Amino acid sequence: MTEVLTPPRIVVQALAPAWQAAAEQWAQRLGLPLGEGDADFALQLGDDGLQLLQLGPDSPGPVRVDFLEGSAAHRRQFGGGAGQMIAKAVGIQQGVRPHVLDATAGLGKDAFVLATLGCEMDLTERQPIIAALLEDGLARAAGDFEVGAIVARMRLLQGNSIERMTAWEGEAPQVIYLDPMFPHREKSALVKKEMRLFRPLVGDDLDAPALLEAALKLASHRVVVKRPRKAPIIEGGKPSYSLEGKSSRYDIYPLKSLKG
C-alpha cells in the first residue's frame, strides 16, 4: 500500500499533430482525459518519447526514461562495471550473473545497470504512469544497436509487485531487488527531480514489510533492499549484512550461496 493524500489530476497531451493518435491510445490505456484541461500533471508524447510534466510555476521540468543518453549512458560507459556496490549487493562475481526481479522498478535505472552487466532482469512497477514511462523508454532503446542488446534482457511486468510475487509461475528469480519509496523528511524532499515529481503520484511505500515478506518467500538465493544510508531496516526479517555508501546502503538477506 502506498500513501497518496489527494489523487493528482493528470491529462495526456500530444506535443505535435503526428503524435495525436498515439496520445489517444495512451489516454485510453491509462484511463486519463486527453487535451489541456485543469490538471496538476501532463503526460506528454512527442519526438523525444513519453514524458511526465508537473504543471505550474514550481515545476522541476519533464521526466522521461532515456537509456540512450544522459546519466544512463554515462553510467553504462564509466560506472565502474562489476565493482559497483549494486553489483556486489546482488551477487555478481566471476561466472555469476543472477536472474534478478526488480520489484520496485521505477524508471528502471538500477535494472539497466544490472542488465548492462549481463543479468537477466524482470521488472515490476505498480504505478501505471511510471510503468508507461518505463515501457516507452524500453521500446525506444530496443532499436539501438548497442543498447538494444541490453534492454532485451529487461522484461517489464505490469501490476502489483506483491501480488505478482505471491502468484509467481515458473522458475523463481535468484535475486529480488527492492527499493521502496522511503517516508521523506522535508529537508531532503526536493533533492531529486524524479522524487519530487513522483511523490504526489506514489506516496510512501507503507507496505514495505509485506513487500519484503513476499520477496523472501519467492527468491531462491537472496533479497537485496536499497535504503537511505541512515534509514531503519524494513520491519520483518533482519539482514545478515549491509553494504554502505555515501547516501544509501544495501541490506542483504542471503538464502543460498550464488555459484557459477
Side-chain angles (χ1 to χ4, degrees):
M1 184 178 76
T2 55
E3 180 183 34
V4 182
L5 298 180
T6 303
R9 296 161 296 176
I10 307 166
V11 295
V12 180
Q13 299 174 345
L15 295 179
W19 297 104
Q20 186 65 30
E24 291 174 0
Q25 292 176 353
W26 277 116
Q28 185 174 13
R29 274 185 59 180
L30 297 170
L32 296 173
L34 191 69
E36 300 300 324
D38 182 22
D40 302 303
F41 292 87
L43 187 64
Q44 301 173 327
L45 188 63
D47 294 341
D48 294 326
L50 198 65
Q51 65 182 30
L52 183 66
L53 177 68
Q54 183 177 356
L55 303 175
D58 296 327
S59 173
V63 168
R64 71 176 65 86
V65 173
D66 189 353
F67 295 121
L68 301 178
E69 299 179 358
S71 61
H74 185 272
R75 191 168 179 185
R76 172 170 59 86
Q77 296 169 20
F78 309 109
Q84 297 175 77
M85 195 179 301
I86 188 175
K88 296 178 181 178
V90 302
I92 289 177
Q93 53 190 295
Q94 187 173 0
V96 177
R97 294 296 186 271
H99 170 203
V100 181
L101 166 62
D102 184 345
T104 52
L107 296 178
K109 293 182 178 181
D110 287 342
F112 182 71
V113 170
L114 296 175
T116 299
L117 296 175
C119 292
E120 292 294 328
M121 301 294 302
D122 288 322
L123 296 79
T124 58
E125 172 52 52
R126 62 181 164 190
Q127 213 296 326
I129 292 175
I130 298 176
L133 294 174
L134 183 52
E135 179 183 332
D136 176 72
L138 288 169
R140 284 184 285 108
D144 183 82
F145 177 75
E146 185 174 0
V147 179
I150 297 172
V151 299
R153 292 192 282 270
M154 300 169 66
R155 181 172 65 127
L156 178 59
L157 308 172
Q158 300 283 352
N160 182 285
S161 297
I162 295 175
E163 294 173 359
R164 276 201 167 271
M165 286 190 286
T166 302
W168 190 271
E169 296 181 357
E171 187 175 355
Q174 293 173 288
V175 178
I176 297 180
Y177 179 81
L178 306 175
D179 182 10
M181 187 77 82
F182 184 68
H184 68 286
R185 300 184 302 273
E186 285 303 318
K187 64 181 180 181
S188 63
L190 303 181
V191 173
K192 285 189 176 181
K193 182 168 76 169
E194 292 92 342
M195 294 286 280
R196 179 180 173 187
L197 191 69
F198 291 154
R199 194 170 290 280
L201 297 176
V202 303
D204 296 323
D205 283 312
L206 303 181
D207 59 354
L211 196 65
L212 176 60
E213 181 183 8
L216 288 170
K217 288 180 179 178
L218 176 61
S220 64
H221 286 70
R222 75 171 58 179
V223 174
V224 177
V225 181
K226 184 179 180 180
R227 302 292 277 166
R229 185 170 66 88
K230 296 183 179 181
I233 64 171
I234 293 179
E235 182 181 340
K238 186 176 180 180
S240 295
Y241 64 98
S242 299
L243 300 177
E244 192 169 297
K246 292 182 179 179
S247 61
S248 61
R249 73 169 194 272
Y250 298 91
D251 293 337
I252 317 297
Y253 301 75
L255 303 170
K256 191 194 304 184
S257 178
L258 281 162
K259 299 178 181 179

